Amino acid sequence: MKQETPQKPRVGLFVTCLVDLFRPTVGFAAVKLVEEAGCEVEVPMAQTCCGQPAYNSGDREDAVAIARTTIETFEDYDYVVAPSGSCAGMLRKHYPALFKGDAWEARAAAFSARVHELTSFLVDVMGMERVSAAHVGSVTYHDSCSGLRELGIAAQPRRLLSSVEGLELREMKDADVCCGFGGTFCVKYSDISNKIVEEKAANIAASGAETLLAGDLGCLMNMAGKLQRQGNAVRVRHVAEVLAGMDDGPAIGEGGR
Amino acid sequence: MQITSPAFKENARGALANPDLQKALGHVRLGFIDKRQKAVDALPEFDALRDSARAIKDHALAHLDLYLEAYEEKVKAAGGYVHWAPTAADARAVILEICRAAGARTVTKGKSMITEEIGLNAFLEKEGIRPVETDLGEYIIQLRGEHPSHIIAPAVHLTRDQVEADFRRAHDHLPVARDLSEPESLLAEARRVLRSQYFAADVGITGANFLVAETGSSVIVTNEGNGDLTQILPRVHVVVASIEKIVPTMEDMSQILRVLARSATGQDMSVYTTVSTGPRREGDPDGPEEYHVVLLDNGRSAMLGTEFQDMLRCIRCGACMNHCPVYHAVGGHAYGWVYPGPMGAVLTPSLIGVDKAGHLPNASTFCGRCEAVCPMHIPLPRMMRHWREREFSRGLNPAAQRYGLRAWAFFARRPRLYRLAVSLAIPVLSRLGRRRGRFRRLPLAGGWTRHRDLPAPESRTFLQQWRDRDAARQEARP
Ligand code: SF4
């Protein structure tokens, strides 16, 4: 591939730990979309996690160590793309803060400037206007917090979704309100988290959509877990699965594999 | 006020199980957010105003000593007194002295979070002086012997029915037919009772939204006008304010005013903006004979120059809690001290110690909505994270959490080892969950599965599959 079209941008896929472990389909969907956008995708094996669990728990030392490894692994790519607003936000907005005043400051800044969340990369960087996928049915889209407020992701996924054949977007009430996931928050303060996700589940149900989409697997697992515990039949998928036309397998938390 | 912040989790559980509270909290979600949005949308320069409001406060904080001294000079020149109170106890002592000197038996009070912070009401009562709250919300809270659950809407945790019942209990002369179902009728009823108190009071105590260095004025904003009566009618007016309320000029004050009410209640301006400068002058139609300002530090100057300095920009508008999903879920009392919500999660550890208030900065999803609406651009999540860092480095968080985190980080820092571990574990988990696609229960995942199912891993890890795919591609190449 490389020899044929050497001018293609080289993209390092930061697959994110949750996608790697729980939902590989999202990784393959991301690869497909980024390739369709005209890039060459590589997936370095030395990746683990962006370090948010440490960073958000006040464990700066581990966060810095993980960030160093990530930067070393990815800094040679033209772009680094992650199918998650929260991990992309960590790489793009918080890594520079971790190395402020440090010998790595400039290196971290150079790395961070090349990091993008998937849908934002496709639309804002590669100028993608439509995808060639079909999905017959109604969906509703949840704006995950970090992507929305740190990276300004709201229009990009909706824009691409509007090009999916047969898809009807039914906005839910308070789509931009937190689902209660919050990383380790949902375990440390599970009762409060539960109250917040119940609220979210009610809004999802009220939208009448058959499928719930979002751009962050953590939030998706939280919402899917709640909907399924409630016996709600709404199906839950990462937005990339639909955009890539890779939505024929079981949805998140569905059996029968 | 008793501090229950260490019991945040239990407080929260109680709050979640309290149907009246949950009903009342629904109004927070409905009452504030849309109104603020409308007010913001109607003012194209709102964001520019936020920037300039931030700049004004940053400047004032950078020269806090100078502006405070200038302010003191002006207050004195206007015939008032300034009392510096390093701690809450100092502030209480000064106020008591003023009340005693005035021979006060009753004091009226305007709404003030600072007097909550220093526990003034309980203290005065113990000293035989009766404090009377004149703000409707505070009045209700006082009837109930409670504390405010919100910094601008103290009684927001109560339903209308609860409030009506309290009024019927306290105002037992009322005919049952008297309508008390609307805020207006409640306010009218409270006013009737309060009117006599205004005249009986020897001292009126108010807080301050701003202290203006240029003129030595203190400024309060209210919607009921009770603040005016509190400071005009009694013989002695005491302003209790914390040091970061200072702004250089009247012009600065009016700039910040433009974002304050919009952020708080969605009003362009509060109904009353009251400026007071010293005691009554010759020819003034009204005003107090004596004018005192008690300037409280109580830990604030120690925040200067630290990663928490930005918190001192706070103008107490309440927008952060109005937009906070955690506050919506549990209300203000769960936070266990005076200041709830995101601003409390940052400020409370500074004021009472992170050893007591450690839960507060942790009980956030970092959704960032607070920072997004804060008119003063205070980076609340970032500062909560700073608290978490301090707790972690002091070993204050629970041991199980620390070990879990360190164990995870041990692998996350070592990609080869991590790869090996997850390549073994994930396929097993995936196979276990194959039929249902999720787990209702799983060892060590109780925090998750108590309230929701846990989706099972789809298959082998993405990287396992990618490596195989890559290898196959390589082989397929000529
Ligand atoms: S932190 Fe910001 S939003 Fe919260 S009360 Fe203070 S000024 Fe208002």
Side-chain angles (χ1 to χ4, degrees):
Chain A
M1 286 278 275
K2 206 165 170 183
Q3 296 93 318
E4 295 159 28
T5 48
Q7 67 275 50
K8 274 188 181 181
R10 275 177 74 232
V11 169
L13 181 71
F14 185 83
V15 71
T16 79
C17 59
L18 288 179
V19 166
D20 180 36
L21 306 185
F22 284 90
R23 193 92 182 142
T25 300
V26 177
F28 289 112
V31 170
K32 183 170 178 222
L33 288 164
V34 175
E35 282 179 350
E36 277 175 10
C39 306
E40 185 189 326
V41 181
E42 290 178 35
V43 187
M45 284 291 144
Q47 55 181 304
T48 60
C49 165
C50 66
Q52 273 189 91
Y55 183 55
N56 289 341
S57 300
D59 176 4
R60 225 181 152 91
E61 187 200 321
D62 281 320
V64 166
I66 294 167
R68 282 220 175 92
T69 315
T70 309
I71 294 174
E72 281 168 351
T73 308
F74 281 93
E75 64 191 340
D76 289 335
Y77 292 102
D78 298 326
Y79 298 105
V80 181
V81 173
S84 154
S86 135
C87 310
M90 177 71 187
L91 267 49
R92 191 176 168 89
K93 297 282 170 171
H94 295 284
Y95 275 18
L98 276 177
F99 295 104
K100 206 162 189 179
D102 180 295
W104 273 56
E105 184 170 353
R107 199 170 166 186
F111 162 81
S112 291
R114 277 178 274 142
V115 177
H116 300 276
E117 181 275 343
L118 175 66
T119 60
S120 146
F121 177 73
L122 296 174
V123 173
D124 303 334
V125 179
M126 299 309 294
M128 194 186 245
E129 286 180 358
R130 47 184 308 111
V131 292
S132 53
H135 176 101
V136 178
S138 55
V139 306
T140 191
Y141 184 84
H142 163 73
D143 297 281
S144 290
C145 300
S146 308
L148 176 68
R149 287 187 256 289
E150 289 180 355
L151 304 174
I153 292 159
Q156 301 91 327
R158 288 180 172 82
R159 173 159 186 188
L160 295 178
L161 283 172
S162 72
S163 73
V164 173
E165 219 182 293
L167 181 143
E168 179 205 350
L169 180 63
R170 286 195 197 169
E171 294 286 359
M172 70 174 106
K173 184 169 154 265
D174 290 341
D176 63 343
V177 172
C178 183
C179 74
F181 172 60
T184 53
F185 171 87
C186 73
V187 193
K188 282 198 269 184
Y189 298 93
S190 64
D191 296 332
I192 302 176
S193 171
N194 178 50
K195 171 75 186 169
I196 302 174
V197 72
E198 275 179 358
E199 211 68 52
K200 179 57 73 176
N203 286 331
I204 295 166
S207 77
E210 295 149 355
T211 303
L212 165 69
L213 302 178
D216 276 79
L217 195 55
C219 314
L220 286 163
M221 288 173 62
N222 177 43
M223 293 182 287
K226 185 78 231 175
L227 289 163
Q228 286 157 359
R229 178 66 58 95
Q230 290 177 335
N232 192 314
V234 174
R235 311 183 80 195
V236 181
R237 292 183 186 281
H238 192 284
V239 66
E241 300 174 33
V242 170
L243 294 177
M246 295 174 68
D247 53 352
D248 36 11
I252 294 170
E254 268 185 10
R257 277 176 283 128
Chain B
M1 172 174 177
Q2 208 202 332
I3 297 170
T4 67
S5 307
F8 174 79
K9 275 194 177 185
E10 293 76 46
N11 295 349
R13 214 164 294 142
L16 288 166
N18 178 340
D20 282 332
L21 174 63
Q22 290 299 325
K23 185 170 165 204
L25 286 172
H27 299 308
V28 178
R29 270 195 294 266
L30 297 175
F32 291 105
I33 294 176
D34 294 350
K35 284 187 194 145
R36 173 194 170 274
Q37 194 59 51
K38 244 185 227 143
V40 168
D41 291 344
L43 190 70
E45 67 267 37
F46 186 77
D47 269 326
L49 278 172
R50 283 170 83 184
D51 293 345
S52 80
R54 167 173 57 186
I56 289 166
K57 276 284 198 181
D58 278 346
H59 172 81
L61 291 170
H63 307 284
L64 190 58
D65 47 347
L66 294 180
Y67 284 117
L68 283 169
E69 277 168 20
Y71 169 78
E72 182 182 25
E73 284 310 308
K74 292 290 180 183
V75 175
K76 282 183 183 160
Y81 302 91
V82 174
H83 310 268
W84 299 83
T87 67
D90 296 326
R92 288 191 299 261
V94 173
I95 296 166
L96 180 63
E97 215 173 279
I98 298 168
C99 291
R100 287 266 153 83
R105 313 241 325 260
T106 302
V107 305
T108 43
K109 285 187 66 211
K111 188 180 142 22
S112 146
M113 291 310 292
I114 291 295
T115 58
E116 288 291 331
E117 181 180 325
I118 64 174
L120 187 62
N121 285 6
F123 173 77
L124 289 179
E125 273 165 24
K126 214 177 72 210
E127 298 293 339
I129 297 170
R130 194 165 68 93
V132 179
E133 295 288 353
T134 61
D135 169 270
L136 177 61
E138 293 283 356
Y139 179 79
I140 295 166
I141 295 300
Q142 196 178 24
L143 284 183
R144 298 174 62 88
E146 286 185 344
H147 293 282
S149 66
H150 188 290
I151 59 174
I152 67 159
V156 78
H157 59 286
L158 299 172
T159 62
R160 230 168 249 183
D161 291 347
Q162 284 174 299
V163 174
E164 182 172 349
D166 289 325
F167 263 73
R168 299 242 180 250
R169 187 165 46 74
H171 300 200
D172 48 15
H173 59 282
L174 289 179
V176 277
R178 169 70 62 65
D179 173 40
L180 289 174
S181 60
E182 291 302 317
E184 291 72 28
S185 52
L186 289 172
L187 184 58
E189 189 48 42
R191 274 197 177 137
R192 267 170 25 126
V193 175
L194 286 172
R195 192 142 305 148
S196 59
Q197 305 292 340
Y198 283 124
F199 290 101
D202 311 286
V203 174
I205 299 177
T206 64
N209 293 91
F210 304 96
L211 303 173
V212 184
E214 176 185 43
T215 57
S217 311
S218 65
V219 181
I220 55 172
V221 297
T222 66
N223 279 330
E224 295 163 18
N226 60 307
D228 288 35
L229 298 178
T230 304
Q231 63 187 47
I232 289 169
L233 295 176
R235 211 167 53 69
V236 179
H237 177 200
V238 181
V239 177
V240 193
S242 49
I243 52 174
E244 84 282 10
K245 291 284 179 281
I246 203 97
V247 290
T249 66
M250 281 288 184
E251 175 62 31
D252 293 333
M253 183 272 292
S254 46
Q255 286 248 2
I256 302 179
L257 269 188
R258 297 187 68 197
V259 294
L260 173 57
R262 289 184 169 90
S263 302
T265 49
Q267 294 165 285
D268 292 348
M269 288 281 278
S270 303
V271 180
Y272 298 85
T273 300
T274 311
V275 180
S276 54
T277 315
R280 177 200 298 217
R281 281 154 300 203
E282 282 270 323
D284 280 356
D286 51 28
E289 287 165 30
E290 268 178 47
Y291 179 82
H292 297 265
V293 181
V294 179
L295 281 177
L296 179 73
D297 183 339
N298 209 25
R300 287 166 176 80
S301 56
M303 293 164 72
L304 291 169
T306 71
E307 62 264 61
F308 303 110
Q309 172 166 324
D310 289 351
M311 191 61 221
L312 296 175
R313 286 202 300 264
C314 175
I315 53 172
R316 306 288 190 269
C317 71
C320 54
M321 56 199 77
N322 294 341
H323 290 76
C324 175
V326 175
Y327 183 95
H328 291 164
V330 301
H333 286 153
Y335 291 78
W337 195 56
V338 177
Y339 300 107
M343 58 81 70
V346 175
L347 190 60
T348 303
S350 297
L351 301 186
I352 67 171
V354 72
D355 49 331
K356 292 197 200 72
H359 271 302
L360 275 43
N362 280 285
S364 160
T365 64
F366 280 164
C367 78
R369 217 173 168 208
C370 50
E371 183 177 356
V373 298
C374 173
M376 305 306 286
H377 285 301
I378 298 174
L380 295 153
R382 191 179 83 202
M383 288 189 287
M384 289 182 220
R385 190 181 295 108
H386 285 317
W387 277 123
R388 297 183 190 186
E389 282 164 2
R390 291 206 178 182
E391 289 183 272
F392 191 85
S393 60
R394 283 174 59 188
L396 290 175
N397 33 4
Q401 252 173 47
R402 300 173 65 79
Y403 290 133
L405 188 67
R406 292 314 294 245
W408 166 84
F410 178 85
F411 286 98
R413 289 172 69 160
R414 294 169 178 77
R416 285 167 168 280
L417 214 55
Y418 177 91
R419 207 37 62 207
L420 182 69
V422 299
S423 301
L424 293 172
I426 291 299
V428 174
L429 214 52
S430 173
R431 221 166 299 130
L432 282 175
R434 166 157 298 170
R435 204 174 47 81
R436 289 195 68 234
R438 55 184 184 269
F439 303 103
R440 275 192 83 84
R441 249 188 310 273
L442 201 68
L444 298 177
W448 180 283
T449 54
R450 177 131 58 112
H451 295 296
R452 34 180 130 47
D453 291 356
L454 178 68
E458 224 180 1
S459 52
R460 296 183 303 149
T461 70
F462 174 77
L463 286 178
Q464 277 176 308
Q465 298 181 51
W466 182 262
R467 199 170 34 198
D468 292 354
R469 204 180 90 160
D470 244 14
R473 273 189 189 178
Q474 299 285 345
E475 257 174 46
R477 262 180 212 169

